[in-house]
Amino acid sequence: MDPIRIAVVGVGKIARDQHLPAIAGNSAFSLAATVSPHDPGVEGVPHARSLEELIERGPAVDAVALCTPPQVRYDLAVQALRKGMHVFLEKPPGATLGEVGALSSRADKVGATLFAAWHSRFAAGVAPARAWLAERRIDSVSIVWREDVRVWHPGQAWIWEPGGLGVFDPGINALSIATHILPRQMFLQSATLEIPANRAAPIGADIQFRDTAGAPIHMDLDWRQTGPQSWDIIVETDAGTLKLSNGGAVLTLPSGVEHNEDLEYPGLYARFATLIRGGRSDVDVAPFRLVADAFLRGHRKIVEEFHD
């Protein structure tokens, strides 16, 4: 079977650190091209300054991985789907729920695969955590996602603009795990969003969710953390405490720490290949919907200005 010819659109840090190595390590794909108006691309691989240029001049591709900021992703995905290309959407899958829904409908009509890729769901501890929680009573959940934005997103102005999500850019990773491992649906009750006076998106958030059985779920997001970083989900159950730490990479159960190989982006591309070969899409917007609800219902608290 011939490999899937894929183009990476947007050649920034996440593309170079994660997407390109994952593609290179998966025989189901071949890197056919890169696209960026700013980055020169990869030596020996055809490069275009825009997706339109790639479509017009070639080389031919079967799929695209959109690694651009979410605010510009819809139009790029539409261009690709018009040509019958399969589309991999980096997280978050778009700037609004409406545009993601429109893309899903378009992909169905043209018979192409659309994949909303939640990389944190492929962290080593997530699948076994989901399996362990399936038979438990959930009493409460604590999500603490605190990191230093200056370390992880230096100089990225788009992330502070409408549609960039602010602290929910990493926070949505936690929600992608929580919505995957918890056995019952969760929904928002209240939220406080801390927004710097000179920015449009929050730098911190305190959120109260609950699940459909009434279990409280508290989420603490902050982009001002210095020193050790915190990416933890703690679930209290009738059988003891489950903890996912380091962004889902480390699972601790009452029986001890479980060790599994952490292959987030290789797992994503294996899933994308399976979807393409099977003629299916995977567009789960549950984490994105919770973020939208926080912006819809959250109280906005203006805090001091933030400067990189």
Side-chain angles (χ1 to χ4, degrees), residues 146-160:
R146 288 173 159 257
E147 62 181 45
D148 187 344
V149 65
R150 291 185 173 92
V151 172
W152 299 101
H153 298 280
Q156 294 183 7
W158 65 266
I159 212 164
W160 294 104

Side-chain angles (χ1 to χ4, degrees), residues 53-246:
E53 178 184 310
L54 175 66
I55 291 170
E56 289 179 354
R57 300 183 183 181
V61 300
D62 306 304
V64 293
L66 300 184
C67 305
T68 64
Q71 295 96 323
V72 300
R73 210 171 286 156
Y74 174 80
D75 288 335
L76 293 169
V78 167
Q79 288 183 57
L81 290 170
R82 281 175 179 160
K83 297 299 181 180
M85 299 176 189
H86 309 293
V87 177
F88 179 119
L89 299 170
E90 243 300 352
K91 65 87 190 173
T96 69
L97 282 165
E99 66 184 34
V100 178
L103 290 176
S104 183
S105 296
R106 184 181 290 269
D108 288 344
K109 288 179 181 178
V110 302
T113 290
L114 184 68
F115 181 33
W118 302 107
H119 66 84
S120 291
R121 288 183 174 175
F122 290 83
V126 172
R130 176 185 168 99
W132 191 83
L133 289 172
E135 304 299 326
R136 312 295 183 220
R137 185 193 71 231
I138 308 301
D139 293 329
S140 66
V141 182
S142 172
I143 302 171
V144 179
W145 228 253
R146 288 173 159 257
E147 62 181 45
D148 187 344
V149 65
R150 291 185 173 92
V151 172
W152 299 101
H153 298 280
Q156 294 183 7
W158 65 266
I159 212 164
W160 294 104
E161 296 300 321
L165 299 189
V167 74
F168 284 97
D169 179 81
I172 205 170
N173 294 334
L175 292 174
S176 75
I177 295 174
T179 54
H180 188 62
I181 66 173
L182 295 178
R184 295 182 179 86
Q185 188 173 351
M186 57 188 283
F187 59 91
L188 183 137
Q189 290 191 293
S190 65
T192 298
L193 311 181
E194 296 184 319
I195 302 175
N198 61 332
R199 304 288 184 172
I203 196 169
D206 187 87
I207 309 167
Q208 296 288 345
F209 300 98
R210 56 167 285 188
D211 73 6
T212 54
I217 303 166
H218 177 248
M219 187 176 201
D220 173 16
L221 300 177
D222 204 307
W223 248 354
R224 296 160 294 196
Q225 179 95 330
T226 58
Q229 311 284 277
S230 303
W231 301 290
D232 302 323
I233 298 176
I234 300 171
V235 185
E236 299 293 346
T237 80
D238 57 335
T241 301
L242 175 149
K243 181 177 181 180
L244 278 169
S245 54
N246 197 24

Side-chain angles (χ1 to χ4, degrees), residues 122-125 246 248-249 260-264 266:
F122 290 83
N246 197 24
N260 299 282
E261 189 175 11
D262 201 13
L263 297 171
E264 288 189 15

